[in-house]
Amino acid sequence: MLLPMIWKSWAETVVFEPGQMVHPSSLEGIVDTVKGAARGGKSIRVVGSGHSWMPLVRTDHILVSLDHYQGIEAIDKDKMTATVRAGTTLEQLGAALFEQGLAMENLGDIHDQALAGALSTGTHGTGVTLGSLSTQMVGVTLVTAQGEVLEWDEISHPDEMNAVRVSLGMLGIIARITLRVVPTYRLKVEQYKEPLTKIIANLEENIQNNRHFEFFWFPYTGYAIPKRIKTTDEPAVEQKSSRQVFNEILEQSVVTSFFSLSRSFSFLGRALNNVFIALVADEDPGYVDHSYRVFPTTRTLRFQEMEYSIPAELLPNCLEEIIHTVEVNRFKMFFPTECRWVKGDEIWLSPAYQRDSAYIAVQQTKGSPYEDYFRQIEPIFHHYDGRPHWGKLNTFRHEHVAACYPRLPDFMALRQQLAPEQMFLNDYLKRTFMG
Ligand SMILES: Cc1cc2nc3c(=O)[nH]c(=O)nc-3n(C[C@H](O)[C@H](O)[C@H](O)COP(=O)(O)OP(=O)(O)OC[C@H]3O[C@@H](n4cnc5c(N)ncnc54)[C@H](O)[C@@H]3O)c2cc1C
């Protein structure tokens, strides 16, 4: 007897049974899959590593994973580019580039995503001089609904590149991505607690004087933990310091137990948050490591997340309103709120389209109620002209998308040209992008 194949996203916000799951291991295999789907009148969604919270990949028809299509295909050290199979994870890519003396110019805070999955939603790290990961894409191999293989780059097809860089799988299957890369570099990280008022008072200095700056605000404490990261010539650490080991233990075990305790005994929550902040050091000698090892953190604790991009200069006001709303409503949430910065870009569906942005992410541990909390916070983001991270929880509707994305008609016209039968759409995408 065949058991049903149930697919679940990382946080289990999306659970469904695809009609069929396919893992092509070559470009020809991807083309055959698309042609077979076209013949059978089936639609296709492509999945990366399933780390999005939204129903982007939900389908009753064919779910395609490129997890058997991985690795670097070519490196051009004159142009400083790497051509990579779309199913390669960021973790595999970081290590493989490092062996060649190369690195990605920036990363987000995990490296579990597939390259095409990460870029297709506009995944970002932090740093005012750095765009999202999608801006690193300078060329692409795209398989269309007819099974045609298109090769675009930013010189030959500048408009199409600005469409495909953040395209949520709506234009076709991205088979290969050519990325702009940089020589390997080392980073020095400092992370210690500070009063939130101090961080906000010195915000401009913090974001301008660090290659990467972000902070995590801890509710009900008045404190945040900023992360300041600069490039350095100092050698990478061979062995972790006792402080780093302590920090990791703190993050992984103490936080986990605090969160479980606060779920069971909600009256303890705010006190536990203050105990947690008290345990975090208020100074840090910092540590040095290679960039691809510095950016990713291990996330053993599953959580729900909503993240919006807003105009960078509005962050202090927007955050103040969020804090006020949390405190007035006494939400039982003990997970920190993360604030990051991303340089504006020209990508048609990018949340950072034509504006330097601050991204604010609210989170709640999996299993704790988050609906009311997120429902109260989302209008604040809308009030500050927010655009959601496409992979993270949001209720953005077609009218919002149409109002916030002036190039949406161009994107949809290109989509129509490449996939007139709507092969690469599901109900959520039709509702949100077509109305
Ligand atoms: C613990 C955790 C930490 C995170 N940290 C960050 C962070 O620091 N910064 C940030 O911005 N985001 C972050 N995210 C969000 C995450 O980066 C995005 O949701 C990302 O899109 C997930 O990548 P994935 O490979 O899992 O793609 P999936 O979620 O599987 O798919 C995402 C989209 O990509 C499309 N896609 C995948 N492969 C292809 C392909 N070959 N061709 C065409 N389309 C394709 C899919 O159809 C879908 O629309 C985090 C998520 C989690 C769970």
Side-chain angles (χ1 to χ4, degrees), residues 128-143:
V128 273
T129 60
L130 300 160
S132 72
L133 273 55
S134 314
T135 64
Q136 298 171 28
M137 189 200 281
V138 296
V140 71
T141 304
L142 183 75
V143 179

Side-chain angles (χ1 to χ4, degrees), residues 4-21:
M5 211 290 299
I6 303 295
W7 187 91
K8 292 180 182 172
S9 63
W10 179 84
E12 300 191 354
T13 47
V14 187
V15 179
F16 64 94
E17 186 184 347
Q20 193 188 349
M21 179 112 200

